[in-house]
Amino acid sequence: MTNKSLLFLVVVLLWNLPLLHAQYNRNENKVWIFGARSGIDFSGAKPLTFTSGIGTTNGGSSASQEGGATLADANGKFLFHTEGTKVWDATNNLMPNGANILGFNGTISTPTYSTTQSAVICPVPDSAGQYFIFSLTDANNQAANVGKLFCNKVKMDLNGGRGDIDTSFPLRHVTIDQSLTEKMTLVAGTCITWLLVYSKDTTRFKAYQVTNEGLDPNPVISYVGNFPKTGYAAGTLKASPNGKLLANVQFRSNAGLDAGLELYDFDYETGIVSNARKLDSMVAYYAADFSQDNSKLYATEVKAAGAQVNQFDLSNPNGDSIRKSKYPMGPCGLTTDIRLAPDGKLYFARNRVPNMYSHGNRALASIENPNARGALAAYKDTAILLDTLTGIMIGLPNIAIVQSRDTGVTTAVVLDSNLCSIAEPIILSVPPASSHIMWHDGSQSDSIAVEELGTYYVYYRNQKNCAFSDTFKISVMDLPEWYITIEEMILRSSHSFDAYQWYKNGEMITGATSAQLHVDENATYMLRVTSGFCEDTSSYVVTNFNSIETINVSSSPVRIYPNPAKDHLRIEAPFALSVSLLDLAGKELLHLEQAQQNIDLKGIKEGLYVLRVQNKEHNFFYGGTLLKKD
């Protein structure tokens, strides 16, 4: 055989070890503030309720009737909360400039109070201690202010370290977009964050990339969906933990007008939404969210006779299969959000324990094991009972997406190489247009040449200024031992490979591309095999086509070893043999009759040779290659 060893080039991207996309269980998302002064802290072994002190205590006025957003720090300590119009700090007080962050006049005091997803929070890229708040006005506002998108910046070094609105931020009080529905969510991409919104009276998704300045003014637009283009406003838009799926809920108080639930694919690298699948229609839904393993979708169905949470199994991506998997888990509040919590459970309102507000209640139900199918997901009627003077109204806080540009790919990628030896230098390179390059040896060039096995690494930033660390592991793994056998004049490979090509006396045999070849005359036959991108060859010399009866050497009592050989070749057999050693041109270099068990090879130069062994009765014959090493 030749080229016996296959060289593997493995590139492992190692920079960010935690999950890139999943954000629901990060410490920054472990404090929830919502509804009427309600609070839940998920940083301990069990969720703990508390009274937030945010909002007022009378008449149903609160920080968040529907949407809102809360952020904790990297240790799970509460930083601030917003319902889109006002911002409260960790002391439950309004930030000095947090009373009217949208700049609306006095005639519209609560423009985000009734927005399904009124606010989201994410860090300012490459700016420690600074956060963007994206706010969305509701669709029932004054005609000129329907579905407006705003952006504010919070700087935590202001207000004695408790944070305040940056009044010098250029986008403050600027309408970024308008005529949107009440849907808004953040999705993590590869070291970038997308803000997704959904236009009113159309099937248009807009994916804005979050930048240092706020948002890229040119969103990625996708026209996709099966619902009518008019009349929709409320309902949630949620992304799966891995960022690959979107669930869009079309809410209407009159379910007969084709309300329902739709599922999409999302490309978190490009921002494109595609592959719309209508999962339920003619049924009103208010909210939906995914299980932590992305395999199930749960949605709150609105029914006057008794609302309920339904499960949809996403293991088969076909829309019809998903629709047929619909399973009612149990009752829920008439209109309620549903959210995946840091403890891996899904929570939603359950109208069982009223509070002091006419349209609020204190009970949260749960799905205890969301990854499981059907009843095994375990619906729990009252999983959390909120504090006495608090209550959920409709919404739960939106998830915060917390990542920086120093977040890279986490998946190991194996790259095939077409090299079967390291006889020539291997070129290792960073992607085009990379910057801040630093190799293991201090080199700052785009590529390096390596000539030895080992591990090499490089740090760099890509075109999006995302930091990466690539590790190149170069190692050799032997191909399996194999040889050519002959039986009834049919040559065969002793091992399976990806591809085959036979040659006779150095000439390729057209069409001979299987693992076996029928021999029709005396000649030197060679088989070239391919495994992946690596090739190997073995030869067999047929010298007495018309007279010999051959058997497979692997089933005979004859042993020939070692191969490769150095000074001696050992042949063990219960009968006398003749041995010939030929070079690849067919010249006989050694011939022994009545061969001894040990054949002296000291006079033979290093290289590849053809070995021919047979007994006098010609009922045993072996022809194959021998590798001689010094």
Side-chain angles (χ1 to χ4, degrees), residues 319-341:
D320 188 55
S321 296
I322 298 173
R323 285 188 290 273
K324 291 179 180 178
S325 72
K326 178 180 176 180
Y327 182 88
M329 294 299 305
C332 63
L334 181 61
T335 307
T336 177
D337 195 0
I338 182 171
R339 178 175 165 184
L340 179 61

Side-chain angles (χ1 to χ4, degrees), residues 5 14 24 73 96 362 368 433 454 466 496 498 511-512 549 594 625:
S5 296
L14 300 170
Y24 70 93
D73 64 17
R362 293 171 51 210
E368 295 285 293
C466 307
S496 297
D498 296 339
E549 179 183 354
Q594 300 291 333
T625 56

Side-chain angles (χ1 to χ4, degrees), residues 485-491 540 542 544-545 547-553 555 618-623:
T485 66
I486 186 168
E487 185 173 6
E488 297 181 354
M489 306 317 296
I490 296 178
L491 299 176
Y540 197 109
V542 177
N544 45 2
F545 168 74
S547 61
I548 66 170
E549 179 183 354
T550 60
I551 63 173
N552 192 332
V553 67
S555 62
H618 289 174
N619 59 12
F620 170 80
F621 178 85
Y622 169 76

